[in-house]
């Protein structure tokens, strides 16, 4: 299996390399990522200037790695359209440091990178964890790896796009995996105004809405200790049945449970 990994936090992101390290157990991994942080850049594509790419030394052995002076979408378009000649089975964007819930999917560079892959006929996962470093990053890497195996093993899941968000918990404390939809009221957007002595300035402020009441949403899932899996772009004519998504989540829950039992037994 061959997996392309990208992100929007930039090629130096520790969370990206944590993911790559885990994925290497099951696949050949190629990394193409922006050379700097590009969070909240959304689906931006560079059309009015040239793009530069540099092949760089990977911190992990045998990982072909490229750094792109561009957006996450640029990186994916370059990768899939030009740089990678071999067959790619799956694209994973992440691990993003910061959740991408509800309306976030429209501005997230992480989700955009997965979307660009999906639009080109690939299966893609966007995976995000809470902003702070913690055991949930390890859990996210394991979840991505298990999901990668499952998604690529079932041809009915070809060309699917999943947005995955992790709760702020270590693997052992996670309640399970929930199939969710995007919360519609996920954020509170405000504009703060100030004056620096010379002229006015504005800050766009986004805060996650504090609580979610609808238990079918991604916001509810992560707040209640579940991993949220949201299939996106289900409006295509050949979408897989919901039953298949439900089974995917149930199987993943079971596998994570046994994985955490093994971890606990080792301690
Ligand atoms: Mn980011």
């Amino acid at each position: 299996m061959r997996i392309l990994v990208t992100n929007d936090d930039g090629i130096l992101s520790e969370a990206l390399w944590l993911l790559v390290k885990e994925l290497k157990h099951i696949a050949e991994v190629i990394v193409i990522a922006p050379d700097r942080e590009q969070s909240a850049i959304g689906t931006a594509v560079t059309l009015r200037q040239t793009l530069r790419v540099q092949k760089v030394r990977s911190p992990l052995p045998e990982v072909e790695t490229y750094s792109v002076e561009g957006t996450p979408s640029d990186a994916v378009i370059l990768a899939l359209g030009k740089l990678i000649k071999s067959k790619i089975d799956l694209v994973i964007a992440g691990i993003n440091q910061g959740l991408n819930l509800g309306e976030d999917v429209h501005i997230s560079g992480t989700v955009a990178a997965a979307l660009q892959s999906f639009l080109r006929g690939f299966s893609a996962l966007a995976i995000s964890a809470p902003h702070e470093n913690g055991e949930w990053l390890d859990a996210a890497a394991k979840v991505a790896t298990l999901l990668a195996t499952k998604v690529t093993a079932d041809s009915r899941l070809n060309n699917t796009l999943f947005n995955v968000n992790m709760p702020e918990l270590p693997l052992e404390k996670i309640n399970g995996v929930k199939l969710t939809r995007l919360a519609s009221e996920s954020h509170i957007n405000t504009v703060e105004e100030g004056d620096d002595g010379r002229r006015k300035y504005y800050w766009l402020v986004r805060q996650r809405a504090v609580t979610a009441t609808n238990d079918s949403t991604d916001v509810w899932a992560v707040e209640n200790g579940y991993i949220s899996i949201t299939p996106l772009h289900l409006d295509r004519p050949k979408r897989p049945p919901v039953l298949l998504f439900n089974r995917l989540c149930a199987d993943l829950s079971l596998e994570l449970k046994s994985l955490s039992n093994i971890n606990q037994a080792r301690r």
Side-chain angles (χ1 to χ4, degrees):
M1 176 158 41
R2 200 173 290 113
I3 299 177
L4 172 68
V5 173
T6 189
N7 74 354
D8 78 352
D9 293 338
I11 197 131
L12 297 176
S13 161
E14 274 176 47
L16 172 120
W17 291 105
L18 200 77
L19 171 66
V20 174
K21 195 174 169 200
E22 196 66 37
L23 287 174
K24 281 191 75 195
H25 295 303
I26 59 154
E28 180 191 332
V29 183
I30 302 172
V31 173
I32 303 192
D35 63 347
R36 69 201 76 181
E37 159 128 31
Q38 298 273 343
S39 293
I41 198 90
T43 52
V45 174
T46 306
L47 296 178
R48 290 168 195 279
Q49 64 191 66
T50 53
L51 283 171
R52 304 267 179 192
V53 182
Q54 207 174 358
K55 193 164 186 180
V56 293
R57 227 183 120 128
S58 157
L60 297 172
E62 292 155 26
V63 180
E64 194 179 330
T65 304
Y66 301 88
S67 163
V68 177
E69 285 179 40
T71 67
S73 288
D74 292 337
V76 165
I77 294 168
L78 275 171
L80 299 176
K82 189 73 186 174
L83 298 172
I84 303 175
K85 305 288 185 226
S86 42
K87 182 176 171 282
I88 293 290
D89 300 290
L90 179 71
V91 179
I92 305 184
I95 303 166
N96 189 60
Q97 291 198 262
L99 296 176
N100 278 305
L101 300 162
E103 65 195 57
D104 271 337
V105 301
H106 303 294
I107 65 165
S108 160
T110 309
V111 178
L115 175 66
Q116 290 290 352
S117 314
F118 168 78
L119 294 176
R120 281 161 180 75
F122 294 84
S123 297
L125 310 175
I127 182 154
S128 306
H131 198 270
E132 296 74 20
N133 277 336
E135 288 176 84
W136 39 89
L137 279 181
D138 291 312
K142 295 214 160 60
V143 167
T145 305
L146 288 174
L147 254 179
T149 308
K150 295 197 165 302
V151 170
T152 52
D154 190 334
S155 61
R156 292 170 298 174
L157 292 172
N158 275 350
N159 194 210
T160 42
L161 171 59
F162 293 104
N163 186 37
V164 183
N165 282 282
M166 300 296 296
E168 201 168 325
L169 293 170
L171 192 61
E172 293 77 16
K173 299 231 165 90
I174 292 174
N175 285 330
V177 183
K178 276 230 167 212
L179 184 70
T180 59
R181 60 178 180 79
L182 300 175
S184 50
E185 288 171 356
S186 57
H187 289 79
I188 303 162
N189 295 292
T190 50
V191 181
E192 284 177 11
E193 196 179 312
D195 198 311
D196 61 9
R198 295 169 66 189
R199 53 185 185 151
K200 256 187 196 175
Y201 64 81
Y202 300 94
W203 269 115
L204 305 185
V205 182
R206 292 184 91 235
Q207 278 177 303
R208 188 134 60 83
V210 186
T211 48
T213 47
N214 190 320
D215 68 2
S216 66
T217 66
D218 51 358
V219 174
W220 188 94
V222 295
E223 277 179 359
N224 288 278
Y226 291 89
I227 296 164
S228 164
I229 298 189
T230 317
L232 299 176
H233 292 270
L234 293 178
D235 48 350
R236 293 176 314 141
K238 267 179 68 187
R239 67 174 187 206
V242 176
L243 197 74
L244 197 60
F245 293 141
N246 273 321
R247 191 169 311 142
L248 180 74
C249 291
D251 288 352
L252 191 62
S253 280
L254 282 177
E255 283 184 32
L256 288 172
K257 198 45 87 190
S258 66
L259 198 62
S260 87
N261 287 343
I262 295 167
N263 280 0
Q264 277 171 323
R266 278 198 193 130
R267 280 184 190 165

